[in-house]
Amino acid sequence: LHGLKKLANKNPIEALIVWNKLKLKFYFHEHHFKVVLRSIALNLAQQHHPNALNWLKQIPEEFMDDAVYEWRIRTALVTQHWPQAIEWINTLPKHLSENEEWQYWQARILEKQHKKKASQKIYNLLAENRSYYGFLSSLRLSLPYQLKHNFFFVSTNSIEKLAKQETILRARELH
């Protein structure tokens, strides 16, 4: 199976052909089928194969991890399957659903589905942040960026200590 997973990284279609031949000749536990399915589906998605979405749908829940959750959504977004993408965003585990990336894409999909109030509510929350998705949300709402500059205090002692490091001394010699 290790070799098949490596082949799937390079050429998931070839891995699928080999897998179909192997499973006819040898007995594999159900667990092995799921491992191979996950590997092939993820690699198809990463290579933007037209059938990737169908393969990702077949991955059983017990083989779901962050990579699978995220690639399912990315693939649905790329192929513009908005209902599928929003369904998968809504079923993300909490630690992923709190991620600004997926909140932003949820808003974009809602906007595509003509649900302006719901999308603007999310954009407004994101636009308050000094982040990539905060800035994108500000653009969607035609609002100024929220820079929220945080001053950083460095003690004189820290500066003197840094100035004495050999790497800093060598760098100063160059200038």
Side-chain angles (χ1 to χ4, degrees):
L1 289 181
H2 177 70
L4 197 56
K5 285 169 49 177
K6 285 190 75 122
L7 178 59
N9 287 338
K10 292 181 181 176
N11 188 340
I13 298 299
E14 183 67 28
L16 185 59
I17 292 167
V18 171
W19 172 243
N20 284 331
K21 289 178 185 176
L22 287 175
K23 69 183 183 183
L24 294 175
K25 289 185 179 182
F26 303 102
Y27 169 77
F28 291 96
H29 189 274
E30 183 182 357
H31 173 80
H32 297 130
F33 279 95
K34 293 174 182 176
V35 167
V36 171
L37 170 67
R38 180 191 178 281
S39 182
I40 290 173
L42 272 179
N43 285 290
L44 287 170
Q46 290 165 355
Q47 295 178 19
H48 306 290
H49 189 277
N51 288 330
L53 195 62
N54 293 328
W55 284 92
L56 289 165
K57 287 179 183 179
Q58 296 176 44
I59 298 176
E61 190 64 36
E62 67 264 25
F63 284 84
M64 297 294 289
D65 60 10
D66 291 356
V68 177
Y69 284 118
E70 291 178 345
W71 275 104
R72 286 192 326 176
I73 297 166
R74 286 184 188 112
T75 304
L77 291 170
V78 166
T79 57
Q80 298 183 2
H81 283 86
W82 310 128
Q84 185 68 76
I86 200 77
E87 177 186 333
W88 282 339
I89 287 172
N90 290 334
T91 59
L92 282 172
K94 188 173 190 218
H95 73 279
L96 289 175
S97 67
E98 292 173 345
N99 186 314
E100 287 185 0
E101 177 181 6
W102 304 121
Q103 292 173 17
Y104 173 80
W105 284 109
Q106 180 181 27
R108 286 296 306 265
I109 295 166
L110 291 170
E111 185 179 9
K112 292 271 186 196
Q113 295 176 330
H114 308 291
K115 297 176 181 174
K116 191 173 181 176
K117 282 186 180 182
S119 68
Q120 285 187 337
K121 183 178 178 182
I122 297 169
Y123 285 143
N124 276 314
L125 288 172
L126 292 172
E128 294 175 8
N129 301 326
R130 179 182 178 160
S131 66
Y132 177 73
Y133 291 101
F135 296 158
L136 286 178
S137 297
S138 293
L139 281 172
R140 302 298 301 172
L141 298 170
S142 301
L143 295 174
Y145 298 145
Q146 295 297 315
L147 298 179
K148 296 183 181 178
H149 180 67
N150 294 329
F151 291 98
F152 185 74
F153 175 76
V154 181
S155 69
T156 308
N157 186 31
S158 295
I159 294 171
E160 290 170 357
K161 208 172 173 182
L162 183 65
K164 291 177 185 175
Q165 289 183 1
E166 283 191 39
T167 52
I168 300 298
L169 293 171
R170 276 183 283 196
R172 284 194 169 161
E173 285 179 24
L174 294 173
H175 287 20

